[in-house]
Amino acid sequence: MLKLKKAALTSALALGTAVAATTASAETLSFVTWQKTDAAYGAWWAEAVETFEAQHPGVTIEMTQVGRKEYADTLFTMFAGGTPPDIVHLAAFEYQPFAEEGWIEPLGPWIEKSGLDLTGWAGQPTCERNGETYCLMLFYAGFVMAYNEELLKAAGWDTPPTTFEEYIAAAEAITGDSDGDGIVDKYGVGLSMTEPATVMHQIQGFALDSGGDWTRDGKPIIDDPATVEGFAKWKSIVQAGLTPQQAKGNDLRQLMIEGNLGMYIDGPWIYGVLNKASEEMRPKLKITYSPLSPPLGGTSNIITMPSEISDERKALVWDFIEIIASEDFQNKFADYSGNPAPRPGLDYADNIEADATFETFIEATRRAAEAKVDRLPKGLELYNSQLSKVIFTETQRMLAEDLDPAQVAATIQEKVLAFD
């Protein structure tokens, strides 16, 4: 079974030890995160900490920032060294090895005792593993599509496409040489071909639209005809020249705000990028639903607690988790982040009144969550990074050698079945 390598501990030991050097008394809870300095999420966390401390006189939470790049290694070092943070914050694709090591507290008894109802909580199934609930999902997003209204209308489209076929037709109409110099300078869509995880997610989105996915009931189905169709769709767009070659995600987002890209499917965070466009360009850039059905969706990050801290500390950590799971703080999450919270049944009237685009985010998230879509492959969570690298390598070969997508998918399926 794939686990984070203990051999990697040496390089991260100094940083992990420094972070772990917090007061060991029951009056101080340690909380390590990569979001403390984030303008939106950091403010939400700070208010949650302030609320907790007001409700627990004499108890403080010491929140420490660690960079995202070294985050998982740092947390692994702390757990392996017996000094885990009391409040455990991890990416949704990172907690599984910690649970496999027995380092994460099963939260089922805490959830049951508190009466916390997680029915309909977006992305929560990702926190369930081997019959146990190990975490609370903090963010789940359904993908949307940014589009340039001016480019679409100039290409003969009064409304954005709502199916894959329309998406391709619109992309073909937009792509071309706008200034007559013989060089294509307007592209219909944006696909990254240089980032393994992004390539994997893009192909998954097309596969979902065809009725496929990476797994079914936890078993790989990469060679399933519907999943193969996802590879074929991705390849056809690249080969038709409808997307810039060798562009990264950030390059494509930049092309969008410069007015040189017609459509770009992305998470709701694309909205913040659009808002950086010039005053002249910004009114032309819109958000709508993805033309792929169901839309790609994804879990982001989780919160949980260590299994080996005292029961008294666990009770305090659970109190903190209950605060951020409350209706009040889930609404505050939406206010701070500009995204729907995972808790169902919230009143977003104020958010929609402030910005009508928020309603699109709500509906996109609902569609993805109800379809139980997740970028993290169910059953292959421990191999997520390996899978993305294999898909990336084989799809690059597919393009270079013009291979049949079915052949490529079969190769990937064989390699995935050999994961160990």
Side-chain angles (χ1 to χ4, degrees):
M1 180 173 292
L2 178 68
K3 294 182 176 69
L4 293 174
K5 295 180 179 179
K6 291 183 176 63
L9 296 180
T10 302
S11 62
L13 184 59
L15 180 57
T17 302
V19 172
T22 57
T23 305
S25 70
E27 288 74 32
T28 300
L29 298 180
S30 56
F31 174 24
V32 178
T33 177
W34 67 93
Q35 294 180 340
K36 180 180 179 180
T37 58
D38 184 272
Y41 300 111
W44 183 69
W45 285 120
E47 185 169 348
V49 168
E50 182 180 354
T51 300
F52 173 88
E53 292 177 347
Q55 293 177 6
H56 298 79
V59 182
T60 60
I61 293 177
E62 183 173 345
M63 185 163 49
T64 303
Q65 172 79 14
V66 171
R68 180 61 245 174
K69 185 176 181 180
E70 63 269 20
Y71 194 82
D73 281 345
T74 299
L75 266 289
F76 197 89
T77 298
M78 295 174 72
F79 272 93
T83 57
D86 297 297
I87 300 170
V88 179
H89 186 208
L90 288 163
F93 60 84
E94 288 173 340
Y95 88 85
Q96 295 83 7
F98 293 81
E100 290 293 305
E101 292 284 356
W103 290 341
I104 299 295
E105 172 84 354
L107 298 185
W110 297 93
I111 294 168
E112 183 177 359
K113 183 178 179 181
S114 70
L116 178 61
D117 185 3
L118 294 177
T119 303
W121 193 282
Q124 186 59 27
T126 296
C127 278
E128 298 166 5
R129 185 170 184 80
N130 299 327
E132 298 280 4
T133 298
Y134 283 101
C135 54
L136 181 74
M137 188 58 57
L138 294 177
F139 183 37
Y140 176 93
F143 275 37
V144 295
M145 186 174 76
Y147 69 98
N148 186 310
E149 186 175 50
E150 183 178 68
L151 289 182
L152 271 176
K153 287 187 174 181
W157 290 77
D158 291 330
T159 58
T162 59
T163 65
F164 174 77
E165 290 72 21
E166 291 180 353
Y167 172 74
I168 294 301
E172 290 173 341
I174 292 170
T175 302
D177 171 16
S178 66
D179 57 11
D181 66 355
I183 300 174
V184 173
D185 54 15
K186 294 290 186 291
Y187 290 93
V189 299
L191 295 180
S192 170
M193 290 173 281
T194 63
E195 299 158 306
T198 305
V199 169
M200 173 179 165
H201 299 153
Q202 289 169 165
I203 295 173
Q204 184 185 10
F206 294 132
L208 288 165
D209 186 64
S210 301
D213 202 348
W214 300 131
T215 66
R216 183 178 294 131
D217 299 325
K219 304 298 182 182
I221 57 164
I222 299 167
D223 58 353
D224 184 274
T227 305
V228 171
E229 183 63 22
F231 285 94
K233 288 177 175 178
W234 184 85
K235 180 186 178 185
S236 69
I237 293 171
V238 175
Q239 286 193 325
L242 304 181
T243 179
Q245 302 293 307
Q246 302 304 310
K248 296 182 179 180
N250 285 338
D251 299 328
L252 297 168
R253 296 180 184 104
Q254 184 64 31
L255 287 173
M256 173 62 69
I257 65 174
E258 290 174 353
N260 296 315
L261 194 64
M263 298 172 287
Y264 187 62
I265 298 173
D266 203 356
W269 43 84
I270 186 62
Y271 192 51
V273 177
L274 300 188
N275 287 329
K276 296 177 182 178
S278 67
E279 291 185 12
E280 178 185 2
M281 183 59 61
R282 182 63 190 90
K284 304 173 185 177
L285 304 178
K286 311 288 185 180
I287 295 287
T288 190
Y289 301 116
S290 170
L292 308 179
S293 181
L296 185 63
T299 51
S300 177
N301 57 108
I302 61 93
I303 192 164
T304 186
M305 67 175 86
S307 58
E308 297 185 2
I309 59 174
S310 69
D311 290 343
E312 292 79 11
R313 295 177 86 83
K314 288 177 183 176
L316 289 170
V317 173
W318 182 253
D319 285 350
F320 181 71
I321 292 175
E322 281 197 295
I323 287 172
I324 64 174
S326 69
E327 183 175 338
D328 179 39
F329 265 84
Q330 289 291 288
N331 272 316
K332 289 179 186 295
F333 176 89
D335 294 338
Y336 279 115
S337 71
N339 296 297
R343 182 176 178 132
L346 298 179
D347 182 358
Y348 291 121
D350 290 345
N351 304 88
I352 296 170
E353 183 179 357
D355 190 335
T357 305
F358 197 87
E359 193 164 18
T360 303
F361 297 151
I362 296 170
E363 178 61 15
T365 296
R366 184 196 67 77
R367 292 179 186 182
E370 286 191 355
K372 295 182 170 55
V373 172
D374 196 349
R375 292 174 298 173
L376 189 64
K378 187 71 174 178
L380 293 175
E381 297 93 342
L382 290 171
Y383 306 99
N384 182 62
S385 179
Q386 276 182 279
L387 177 60
S388 68
K389 291 174 182 176
V390 170
I391 290 172
F392 179 75
T393 299
E394 294 305 319
T395 52
Q396 296 303 300
R397 198 162 63 87
M398 176 175 68
L399 294 176
E401 301 176 23
D402 193 22
L403 300 178
D404 182 347
Q407 175 187 346
V408 172
T411 299
I412 297 172
Q413 175 83 357
E414 182 180 356
K415 290 187 175 183
V416 168
L417 292 175
F419 282 171
D420 189 5

